[in-house]
Amino acid sequence: SQQGEEDPQALSIQEGENATMNCSYKTSINNLQWYRQNSGRGLVHLILIRSNEREKHSGRLRVTLDTSKKSSSLLITASRAADTASYFCATDPRDSSYKLIFGSGTRLLVRP
Amino acid sequence: DGGITQSPKYLFRKEGQNVTLSCEQNLNHDAMYWYRQDPGQGLRLIYYSQIVNDFQKGDIAEGYSVSREKKESFPLTVTSAQKNPTAFYLCASRDKSGGDKNIQYFGAGTRLSVL
């Protein structure tokens, strides 16, 4: 069951610009996570935000969480060509036993 | 890709054949997962295991089987009953001692194609 839906599906920006991607989900969660996937590779965990947190920062990443709207956003500031990848949100549902539900992903292209 | 090794990187299956994808981790993690990823899509859970000798079906378990005889290993067999096996398969593990954190660590994946 796909819970997270991401928007946009694809995003193309110039190096140095900010990239924002959004994630919506359906049920109550323990936390929400963002992962990155380079083409043809596995996923790498980027950042986790708990359900009682509203904003979190890690380097050039900023994540927000609005549990009333069941939505999250990931902002990558001052993007670089190396940020080109697919980004997935994953929710840790309250009613599920250690399973993550992944969204469909946003494909980000950062043009040099 | 951390301490999770998936092999082979590429695999080809003939009609009617069962194939097994290997996943080994040296992270001492209790829980392990298998996901299927179709082109341009997210991940769908096939099977997961939270402890040795125990595993549960995920959302798309039909046509797949797993075993968990050792903590380090969680092989996935794609059986002939899986009629559309062409996909990218990802194995992941999680440290259950991480408390409420459910961060998963992924292997580099196996790309399975049908001949």
Side-chain angles (χ1 to χ4, degrees):
Chain A
S1 56
Q2 294 281 82
Q3 169 158 240
E5 294 298 327
E6 292 175 65
D7 167 59
Q9 289 187 334
L11 181 60
S12 178
I13 59 173
Q14 203 73 33
E15 202 164 28
E17 293 179 339
N18 295 343
T20 299
M21 44 206 95
N22 304 296
C23 170
S24 61
Y25 58 92
K26 296 176 182 174
T27 63
S28 296
I29 61 172
N30 294 316
N31 63 66
L32 185 143
Q33 302 172 37
W34 287 89
Y35 288 79
R36 167 193 168 124
Q37 183 182 34
N38 284 25
S39 182
R41 304 288 293 174
L43 277 69
V44 175
H45 180 262
L46 293 175
I47 192 167
L48 177 151
I49 186 166
R50 290 191 167 90
S51 60
N52 61 354
E53 297 175 314
R54 292 297 165 257
E55 186 170 316
K56 200 157 184 183
H57 296 251
S58 177
R60 293 185 295 113
L61 305 180
R62 190 189 90 167
V63 171
T64 61
L65 179 65
D66 186 336
T67 52
S68 65
K69 295 182 179 178
K70 292 186 167 58
S71 67
S72 174
S73 67
L74 171 68
L75 168 68
I76 304 174
T77 60
S79 63
R80 307 165 181 167
D83 293 329
T84 294
S86 292
Y87 293 82
F88 294 89
C89 69
T91 51
D92 178 8
R94 283 197 194 280
D95 63 350
S96 187
S97 179
Y98 304 111
K99 292 189 290 183
L100 288 179
I101 309 297
F102 286 85
S104 52
T106 292
R107 295 188 307 280
L108 174 65
L109 171 65
V110 182
R111 305 186 305 274
Chain B
D1 299 303
I4 299 181
T5 302
Q6 289 188 240
S7 63
K9 191 173 175 69
Y10 299 96
L11 186 59
F12 298 91
R13 193 191 88 167
K14 295 179 182 177
E15 186 124 3
Q17 185 183 41
N18 292 354
V19 293
T20 297
L21 284 62
S22 170
C23 178
E24 302 278 331
Q25 54 102 356
N26 61 4
L27 300 169
N28 199 34
H29 287 174
D30 292 301
M32 296 186 74
Y33 304 80
W34 272 107
Y35 294 93
R36 170 178 171 141
Q37 186 179 30
D38 291 285
Q41 302 295 314
L43 278 65
R44 291 185 290 169
L45 183 64
I46 304 172
Y47 269 98
Y48 65 106
S49 168
Q50 296 195 59
I51 198 168
V52 174
N53 292 322
D54 187 48
F55 49 83
Q56 288 79 40
K57 293 182 179 180
D59 300 315
I60 55 165
E62 186 174 348
Y64 301 97
S65 66
V66 293
S67 62
R68 186 84 188 277
E69 297 176 1
K70 296 187 299 182
K71 188 175 185 178
E72 307 80 32
S73 178
F74 191 40
L76 173 74
T77 297
V78 184
T79 74
S80 57
Q82 172 50 248
K83 298 305 179 188
N84 183 24
T86 297
F88 190 52
Y89 290 87
L90 287 160
C91 179
S93 71
R94 181 183 65 83
D95 180 8
K96 287 173 69 177
S97 66
D100 62 346
K101 290 187 178 179
N102 185 5
I103 295 172
Q104 295 187 11
Y105 299 83
F106 285 81
T110 293
R111 190 167 299 281
L112 175 62
S113 302
V114 176
L115 288 176

